[in-house]
Every structure is written in C-alpha cells, then in structure tokens.
Amino acid sequence: MMGINYPVGLRLIPADKLVMVPPAAMGGNWSIAGYDIQVEAGTVCTDLKFKPKQCSFSESYTRTNDGGLITSAIETRLIKPDGLMMAWLMTAAHIRWVAVVPLQTGEVLVVGTPELPLLLTWGRASGNPNDVRISLSGQSWHPALAMTRADFETLGEGEFTIEFDLSFNA
C-alpha cells in the first residue's frame, strides 16, 4: 500500500537567496503561488528525490503567550552514505534553508521562510554508524504553505541533485 502525502522530493533553497510575499500580506490565506517566490538569479539549489515513505513531514502546534508556534520537521535517513554525501551534509548544516516539498498526491508545500528558515541537522550512533538520520526543522507562526502554482523552472537552478534510491540503501 502506498503512503499518502509522503514527500517525494525536496528543493532546498538557501534562505538568503529568496524573497517571498508573506502570508499575512495575502489576507491570511495559507497558500502561496509560484509568483509569490523570487529566487536570486544564479542561485544553486539542492534537489533531493525520494521513493515513497523514505521521507516524512510533520508539523505541531504549541500554544504560547504570544499566540502560537508551529514546529515543522522534514526527516529521512541514509544507509551507508559515502564521503561525498557526508561532505555535503557538513556544508548543508551551515546553511539556512527554505524547502519546496512535492508530495505523492501532487500537492506542493513551502516549509520555512527567509525570516524563519529551516536548519539541517544530522546524526548517527556508535552502534550503527552506517545509519545517518537527517532532519530539516524550524519554527514559524504559520503552518507550511500550500503552493498553488509550482514552477520549478523559476525556483533556482537544481544543479546538485541527490537521488535517494536503492543505491543509497544497498
């Protein structure tokens, strides 16, 4: 059985290379059109592709004195990552990201903003050093935005692509 609404990919955009029209300026609608996002010319993004259920997305709401806080997380794992992948993870952990997340259903979410970006963390344990868990997480005052018109051609250049397929899980 196929999982419903699992991410099938990510386009990671450096947050400092992105301009977005904030949801409040759109009347509180939690959606964003492709033309509401502008990526600086020449920006190189990272594309990650997943098979169903290899990646998950979650959001949680916490009530605060100022109203509320939404925590978002995108998580996946690698088995037996090579040196190039580990070098990329070390670099990517120092970049603040906005993620464009296509789902199995065809929906596309935008997680993070230039002002409230996602941070990439990774970890592995001594008992299983070949199992690396990756997480992109952040907090915001609004949930992930539904992207009503996803045009990946205008969302930066996906020059660095990582395929998370069976070759990573051999």
Side-chain angles (χ1 to χ4, degrees):
M1 183 173 163
M2 296 279 287
I4 297 175
N5 273 343
Y6 282 96
V8 294
L10 298 175
R11 172 153 292 182
L12 298 178
I13 304 169
D16 63 346
K17 305 289 184 184
L18 183 68
V19 176
M20 292 174 60
V21 175
M26 295 181 285
N29 186 2
W30 301 120
S31 66
I32 191 166
Y35 54 80
D36 294 327
I37 297 178
Q38 294 179 345
V39 179
E40 192 176 292
T43 298
V44 177
C45 303
T46 302
D47 290 339
L48 298 101
K49 297 180 182 172
F50 304 102
K51 290 184 186 261
K53 296 187 179 182
Q54 280 187 303
C55 182
S56 66
F57 169 71
S58 63
E59 290 187 311
S60 62
Y61 174 82
T62 304
R63 194 169 135 187
T64 66
N65 291 337
D66 297 325
L69 188 64
I70 306 260
T71 301
S72 300
I74 302 166
E75 298 175 326
T76 191
R77 64 185 272 244
L78 300 174
I79 298 175
K80 298 182 183 175
D82 62 14
L84 179 62
M85 176 58 69
M86 293 308 296
W88 177 81
L89 286 172
M90 292 296 292
T91 301
H94 295 280
I95 299 171
R96 297 179 184 279
W97 300 100
V98 172
V100 177
V101 185
L103 303 174
Q104 279 181 284
T105 58
E107 296 172 89
V108 178
L109 300 175
V110 177
V111 185
T113 66
E115 297 80 20
L116 298 167
L118 303 174
L119 299 176
L120 185 142
T121 58
W122 62 272
R124 58 184 171 184
S126 60
N128 194 0
N130 288 327
D131 183 9
V132 177
R133 303 209 178 257
I134 302 169
S135 176
L136 284 150
S137 59
Q139 296 182 323
S140 184
W141 55 271
H142 61 77
L145 304 172
M147 190 173 214
T148 58
R149 290 177 30 184
D151 182 4
F152 283 88
E153 297 300 316
T154 63
L155 291 177
E157 302 170 26
E159 292 181 356
F160 182 57
T161 300
I162 303 170
E163 297 275 345
F164 286 81
D165 59 19
L166 295 176
S167 64
F168 277 100
N169 295 315

